[in-house]
């Protein structure tokens, strides 16, 4: 049996409002937001006495989602270091195709985004960069050329 699709990526955050604003500025659409009140969630994630708020954002064409979770109980664990470099083990970034990388970077800067390196041309195919947003979340941006 083959995978049908990638449904979403989960990002655990402390400041849900700031991270939602960052992803909305990127161009995602807020699909839903509220407390997670499904008792089965504790069994799925392997934690007890869970209280959390979640937000689901989707790309405009509906083909991808980012789920954000703020844990009130138990408290989220903070990894070290906060600004982990690209060669740190684990999930490092989520890449988005964009129309105009310069415009998106400028808009994300208004929401606390900072370039990790610089905007670089990859042959005649893409302009690429990484942007670190609130809480150290890194998004990759790819503008297709030609």
């Amino acid at each position: 049996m083959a995978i049908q699709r990638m449904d979403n990526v989960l990002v655990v955050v402390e400041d849900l409002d700031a991270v939602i604003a960052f992803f909305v500025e990127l161009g995602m659409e807020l699909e839903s937001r509220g407390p997670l009140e499904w008792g089965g969630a504790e069994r799925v994630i392997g934690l007890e006495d869970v209280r959390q708020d979640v937000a689901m954002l989707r790309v405009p064409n509906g083909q991808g989602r980012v789920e954000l979770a703020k844990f009130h109980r138990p408290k989220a664990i903070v990894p070290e270091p906060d600004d982990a470099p690209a060669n740190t083990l684990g999930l490092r970034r989520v890449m988005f195709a964009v129309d105009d990388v310069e415009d998106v970077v400028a808009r994300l800067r208004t929401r606390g985004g900072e370039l990790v390196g610089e905007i670089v041309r990859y042959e005649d195919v893409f302009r690429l960069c990484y942007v670190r947003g609130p809480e150290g979340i890194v998004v990759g941006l790819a503008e297709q050329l030609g």
Side-chain angles (χ1 to χ4, degrees):
M1 176 164 274
I3 292 175
Q4 295 177 359
R5 69 179 183 275
M6 187 187 84
D7 193 58
N8 68 65
V9 173
L10 172 67
V11 181
V12 177
V13 302
E14 190 64 35
D15 187 342
L16 192 57
D17 292 330
V19 179
I20 288 171
F22 180 80
F23 279 108
V24 167
E25 192 66 51
L26 178 61
M28 298 191 80
E29 299 168 355
L30 181 62
E31 188 173 273
S32 62
R33 177 184 179 164
L36 181 62
E37 297 176 341
W38 178 53
E42 291 178 343
R43 294 192 321 269
V44 171
I45 65 176
L47 295 173
E48 295 179 4
D49 195 28
V50 172
R51 191 172 142 253
Q52 64 177 313
D53 290 321
V54 296
M56 187 68 75
L57 297 111
R58 72 176 180 293
V59 295
N61 68 11
Q63 295 299 310
R65 290 184 174 90
V66 172
E67 180 179 358
L68 305 175
K70 173 174 177 44
F71 280 82
H72 300 285
R73 192 176 55 230
K75 283 300 229 183
I77 297 169
V78 179
E80 298 291 334
D82 287 345
D83 59 350
N87 65 336
T88 302
L89 295 175
L91 182 64
R92 298 289 16 113
R93 59 113 175 109
V94 177
M95 180 73 76
F96 294 95
V98 298
D99 293 330
D100 181 343
V101 73
E102 299 275 351
D103 175 64
V104 174
V105 168
R107 289 188 294 108
L108 292 179
R109 282 186 168 145
T110 69
R111 299 291 181 179
E114 298 177 355
L115 276 173
V116 171
E118 58 187 88
I119 299 170
V120 177
R121 184 182 186 106
Y122 173 70
E123 299 177 350
D124 290 330
V125 183
F126 292 106
R127 293 181 71 222
L128 303 166
C129 70
Y130 282 7
V131 177
R132 188 179 313 278
E135 303 192 31
I137 296 169
V138 176
V139 295
L141 305 175
E143 174 187 344
Q144 191 164 359
L145 301 173

